[in-house]
Amino acid sequence: MSYQGKKNIPKITSDRLLIKGGRIVNDDQSFHADIYMEDGLIKQIGDNLIVPGGVKTIEANGKMVIPGGIDIHTHFQMPYRGTTTVDDFNQGSKAALAGGTTMIVDHVIPEPGTSLMEAYDQWRQWADEKTCCDYSLHVDITHWNDSVKQEVDNLIKEKGVNSFHVYMAYKDYYQMSNSELYEVFTFLAERGGIAQVHAENGEIIAEEQARMLQMGITGPEGHVLSRPEELEAEAVFRAITIASQTNCPLYVTRVMSKSAADIISQARKKGNVVFGEPITASLGTDGTHYWSKNWAKAASFVTSPPLSPDPTTPDYLNTLLSSGDLSVTGSAHCTFSVAQKAIGKDDFTQIPEGVNGVEERMALIWDKAVTTGKMDENMFVAVTSTNAAKILNLYPRKGRIAVGSDADLVIWDTDSIRTITAKTHNSAAEYNVFEGMELRGAPLVVICQGKIVLEDGNLHATSGVGRFIPCSPFPDFAYKRVKARKQLAVLRAVPRGMYDGPVSEFSMSRGGTPSASARTSPTKQPVRNLHQSGFSLAGNPAPCGPPTPDDVPIRPAGRRIVVPPGGRSNITSLS
Amino acid sequence: APDSHSTGMSTAGEVPAFFKSMGSDSPARPRQKFCGMFCPVEGSSDSKTLDFDALSACRGKSDGRVIDRQTDISQPRKVEIRESTGKEALQNLDDKRSDRLLIKGAKIVNDDQSFCADIYMEDGVIKQIGENLIVPGGVKTIDAHGGMLMPGGIDVHTRFQMPDRGMTAADDFYQGTKAALAGGTTMIIDHVIPEPGISLISAFEQWREWADSKSCCDYSLHVDITEWHKGIQEEMETLVKDHGVNSFLVYLAYKDIFQLTDSQVYEVFSVIRDLGAIAQVHAENGDIVAEEQRRILEQGITGPEGHVLSRPEEVEAEAVNRSVTVANQTNCPLYVTKVMSKSAADVIAQARKKGTVVYGEPITASLGTDGSHYWSKNWAKAAAYVTSPPLSPDPTTPDYLNSLLSCGDLQVTGSAHCPFNTAQRAVGKDDFSLIPEGVNGTEERMSIIWDKCVVTGKMDENQFVAVTSTNAAKIFNLYPRKGRIAVGSDADLVLWDPDLTKIISAKSHNSTVEYNIFEGTEVRGGPLVVISQGKIVLEEGNLHATEGSGRYVARKPFPDYVYKRIKARSRLAELRGVPRGLYDGPVCEVSVTPKTMTPASSAKTSPAKQPNQPVRNLHQSGFSLSGAQIDDNVPRRNTQRIVAPPGGRANITSLG
């Protein structure tokens, strides 16, 4: 690293950066070129660039330069029953930068019953103060009514949120009914949002949890036993059905099991617009640790859906990620200290859920998928940043090295080998679910907003420099197909004459309350409505019209059509 | 016969003593001890039921033993029925001796093999099978001339006389069972649908009363669970133990009427598994259907096409998938009624490959026709096809379902016969969601399957028997009393003519409705003679059904065919916790109770979701620890590590 020219004033010149001799890797191709950045933007790409003096130059020596990673799923500083996760936005985004991730997308989780907008403002405040890298926000919809609908509308139009997350698990808390999901998805499809789901069947989980506790299983193994992967797959299947019904793009967060991933890839083959997000933990480790004799270690793996006890799962998910059946990767980084996890020491259902992974994500995917030959470097870029940027409608500002894009870059060292351990990681948690894992591939230099934040293993993150990046609705990546289908999917009625035959009397009204907008009052009414009885007919049939000759086919004991006065209209005739 | 029809057999459901051990033994051993007055040598019939010489005789007609039967045939395919004494009138079914029936020269078709033999029946039970039977005088003889004789069909799904909003399905038990017999079906299993709020037992008894007075063939009953609470569980127990019911249907559709939530379904399935019954499911996602119905009505689509538009096949497949998941979770055998679409059938086939104990029941309508008729300009015709799940508009569906039926991925066939006449359908003339649902099919079932599957070469005659009767009998624990031609089985038989061609039409069918959804379909294959309870009820196109002669057939729980695997799995499925020392590290204080544990949902009447549940419960704060630490309340910094408790760090919380 050297400084060109004579002036040596880092404060001014550090915004101007030149990377020489790097191999630029985008999701579609790789090529050799120099990159010149200024004011946090990529200004020039090419050979023999003409750059002003006082520019800091990095010699890449043929190493790969990739777009900085986007971690599309984090839970920094998440409030949980009066405490918060140990990694706040500062700690968390520092860990992200250390791993080569230059943007995170966090989840806003409003308490059910509280305003989405207030929660959003709260998260904005926390993040603006503390993050060291750019960020965006997903908003979780934890309850559904007309005012929530209004808030969602405002968030999309004014606040730069284009993705909303709903829960199919956490019964009686966050969980939504199928009808509510249908309404949320319908609304999001209209407004151009992405529907994210936490896919697990919460009702069955609640039943299974009760059964486990009854059997005396209280440790973390109960967590995975009560949430078998079938329940995840079932919910994914259901979410896809509803999304396809409402013609809404679907995004499945935390794909943790083979069967769930299979369902997603099948749906994609059938043409559904659905994206699957495996997380660092599901790509890197498995659920056998739930049976660890060390309670604290076992508890540190607790997350939902749980890691699959099937040890072939990570390999399988890496394969699907490489083939494109799964589209993006997140970390679902949501760490709790052992003391916090110990809230559930006598009851696994009380253990706060979440694992680490924001720092390890890029290196882990490189090690599991690229060094094994499952995917190439371009695909690596696609699943770590480009696809996420496309879904969030941030492409090509993020997720691509191109003139005009943000200067979020990573010089990737394919050969460096690191051993992951809680002793050296940047998270505040005492356990690392990847403890002892040796990973090949690591960031050598990380550039965020045009500034070097990691070099020579030293992190120079600045708290509060992270900007909120607004996401606009109707991302092309998801909505082009959806729009085309909308045009096709106009349903038409069959034009028929009026039916003028006789009509039976009937007494019970059936299925007359399809609207489910009221979570608060799903009171079912199987009581007969005795007031609503029978249709009033315009042409009352004569009680006993003389049967016409062609009405006579021998049908014993049967009711015949009574011929209405004025003759039988052909609409009811036997064809 | 010493014990007459009225004393011995009509005690509904009482299986003759010699049957009690049947089916549990290996087929190599003698299946029964028979010592009637016509049994000259003990055990002689045993070898005759599985006469492998006869098998080859059947293939090569030149074999000496058959030739003499063949020589005097003037019309090779006709059937002769004659009295050996020549005194009794043929139709005098009440005559004591007309209970004795001999069928000569038939090719007996079971689900495992076909062979040529004579059959002698008495008192409604098959007494002998073999060559050169020694039978008493005065026996009515049917000369089958090599025609196929198979077990009478079992229609596992009918809804005769079903009440719907004050109306009743057009075919009652008399009309319906007559239609069934006309088509070669000698047993039906009907669905009891208690209105929510009404006791299962009283509904069951109501159905028994209707069926006992009217049914012309043997019948049994499924009971539908339309709501869920503790009382229902007790009633289910009573039904299984005292009333011979071993199958219960739950609805995933019909929101706010019959639909159960996932938790309720889980509980119902657990109860069913403990009782040894079969869980049947009407698989459609009722929530989505309700939303779609509303949307489609809003768009101004009110005709029958709205019915299928609001119930796309994905919604069916989703519900099948969900019920398979719940069944796996509860280790309960599952039976999916009315498989109407390719995707639903695929889900079942996949689940079976993974080892789930699940059975799929396509119905006559889904095997024989498709949903394109919903767009018919004739409203009454379009409405006649309304059933749920709807017929798929994809015209390749019937062929696909027939293929899966042939390869064994789908196992049984029903008809879901529940027709309404046009005036009743017209209740929904301005709103498709009000059209009463149900199609015909009990009469056409056997012929349609023969025509679509056997004639086309998808399946052979034995598989035909399996899907029309044997599998049903096995699943519902009626085997081998029903669904098999063997000594000791009920004399419910069909002499099948594979060459009979018929054009299905509402003008000639036995149902009372004006429309037949198979109108104009030409089918090959039909019953020539139908024998129910040892009596000829159909011959030469004439039906001699007797109202009220049908007996209720009780079914025992834990059918082997279904429960052998379930039992083995429940032995394996014991879960164990990990033995660990007590966690003695620091524990955080908590202030809110999340994930409120209210898993028991046994109250459909009060699923009030406690509107704003997530209110902080400030009283319940924190665990009381035996070894509370001084520093427990000290707020921890970002990079907190475990603080070692006084007395040294327990290795249980140590890193690594």
Side-chain angles (χ1 to χ4, degrees), chain B residues 366-620:
Chain B
S366 61
L367 294 169
T369 184
D370 61 58
S372 54
H373 302 280
Y374 290 117
W375 280 266
S376 166
K377 290 263 186 189
N378 180 342
W379 187 91
K381 186 185 174 194
Y385 288 83
V386 170
T387 187
S388 287
L391 288 156
S392 167
D394 177 351
T396 61
T397 303
D399 197 48
Y400 191 80
L401 294 182
N402 280 304
S403 299
L404 289 196
L405 187 63
S406 307
C407 76
D409 280 351
L410 300 172
Q411 296 75 34
V412 280
T413 52
S415 65
H417 189 91
C418 181
F420 287 89
N421 57 40
T422 303
Q424 292 173 322
R425 303 265 191 198
V427 161
K429 71 191 171 59
D430 302 316
D431 178 351
F432 63 84
S433 67
L434 297 174
I435 301 174
E437 294 169 359
V439 290
N440 63 295
T442 193
E443 184 174 357
E444 298 82 4
R445 188 176 64 101
M446 307 268 288
S447 290
I448 293 260
I449 296 169
W450 185 271
D451 183 75
K452 302 270 177 190
C453 295
V454 186
V455 172
T456 57
K458 283 185 201 280
M459 62 168 75
D460 58 19
E461 61 204 30
N462 304 102
Q463 176 73 359
F464 175 75
V465 169
V467 300
T468 53
S469 63
T470 312
N471 290 349
K474 285 178 176 168
I475 291 172
F476 295 111
N477 224 357
L478 298 164
Y479 189 81
R481 179 176 171 189
K482 302 280 184 189
R484 185 167 187 89
I485 300 181
V487 173
S489 297
D490 276 2
D492 286 353
L493 302 172
V494 174
L495 194 56
W496 191 259
D497 183 352
D499 297 322
L500 193 82
T501 48
K502 192 173 86 166
I503 295 174
I504 297 175
S505 166
K507 294 194 182 79
S508 56
H509 70 190
N510 284 279
S511 165
T512 54
V513 289
E514 303 93 334
Y515 278 91
N516 188 309
I517 58 166
F518 309 104
E519 188 73 37
T521 309
E522 194 179 317
V523 287
R524 177 186 287 248
L528 213 51
V529 175
V530 176
I531 296 162
S532 170
Q533 300 178 6
K535 294 187 191 65
I536 299 172
V537 292
L538 177 87
E539 40 139 0
E540 286 160 10
N542 298 319
L543 208 53
H544 316 292
T546 317
E547 190 165 353
S549 63
R551 301 164 298 182
Y552 174 71
V553 182
R555 296 171 290 139
K556 290 212 167 83
F558 293 107
D560 271 356
Y561 187 65
V562 174
Y563 266 89
K564 270 187 180 157
R565 284 182 287 169
I566 296 284
K567 281 178 186 164
R569 286 175 199 186
S570 54
R571 281 195 294 270
L572 280 179
E574 273 174 34
L575 299 171
R576 277 185 204 87
V578 176
R580 295 185 182 93
L582 274 170
Y583 173 86
D584 53 1
V587 180
C588 254
E589 293 260 320
V590 280
S591 50
V592 201
T593 49
K595 293 183 282 177
T596 39
M597 290 285 302
T598 51
S601 62
S602 302
K604 190 180 188 176
T605 45
S606 65
K609 271 190 181 170
Q610 287 102 348
N612 285 319
Q613 178 94 30
V615 178
R616 290 180 177 222
N617 180 355
L618 294 169
H619 298 288
Q620 186 180 350

Side-chain angles (χ1 to χ4, degrees), chain A residues 81 172 179 182 203 208 221 230 234 244 294 339 349 428 430-431 494 504 507-508 513 561 571 573-574, chain B residues 165 255-256 263 266 292 305 314 322 328 376 378 423 514-515 578 588 592 594-595 598 638 652 654-655:
Chain A
R81 298 163 85 183
D172 296 337
S179 309
Y182 184 99
E203 304 216 355
E208 290 282 308
E221 69 276 12
E230 260 191 303
E234 187 281 316
S244 136
N294 178 343
T349 63
E430 301 97 331
Y431 277 90
V494 176
S504 277
S507 54
M508 189 179 76
T513 55
I561 300 184
I571 200 171
S573 69
L574 297 165
Chain B
R165 289 168 287 163
K255 188 174 175 185
D256 296 342
S263 310
Y266 182 98
E292 289 283 305
E305 69 276 15
E314 264 189 303
R322 184 147 41 97
N328 268 345
S376 166
N378 180 342
E514 303 93 334
Y515 278 91
V578 176
C588 254
V592 201
K595 293 183 282 177
T598 51
N638 286 332
I652 199 169
S654 67
L655 291 166

Side-chain angles (χ1 to χ4, degrees), chain B residues 58 61 77 79 103-110 114-116 119 144-151 450 454 460-462 464-465 485 493-499 525-529:
Chain B
C58 214
K61 286 271 160 94
R77 278 289 166 196
V79 168
I103 302 178
K104 282 183 79 77
K107 178 178 166 195
I108 295 173
V109 182
N110 272 327
S114 312
F115 57 96
C116 286
I119 297 191
H145 298 309
M148 266 188 270
L149 186 69
M150 49 182 68
W450 185 271
V454 186
D460 58 19
E461 61 204 30
N462 304 102
F464 175 75
V465 169
I485 300 181
L493 302 172
V494 174
L495 194 56
W496 191 259
D497 183 352
D499 297 322
L528 213 51
V529 175

Side-chain angles (χ1 to χ4, degrees), chain A residues 47 141 168 179 181 219 225 270 278 436:
Chain A
D47 293 327
I141 299 177
M168 299 170 80
S179 309
L181 292 178
L225 290 174
K270 286 189 198 143

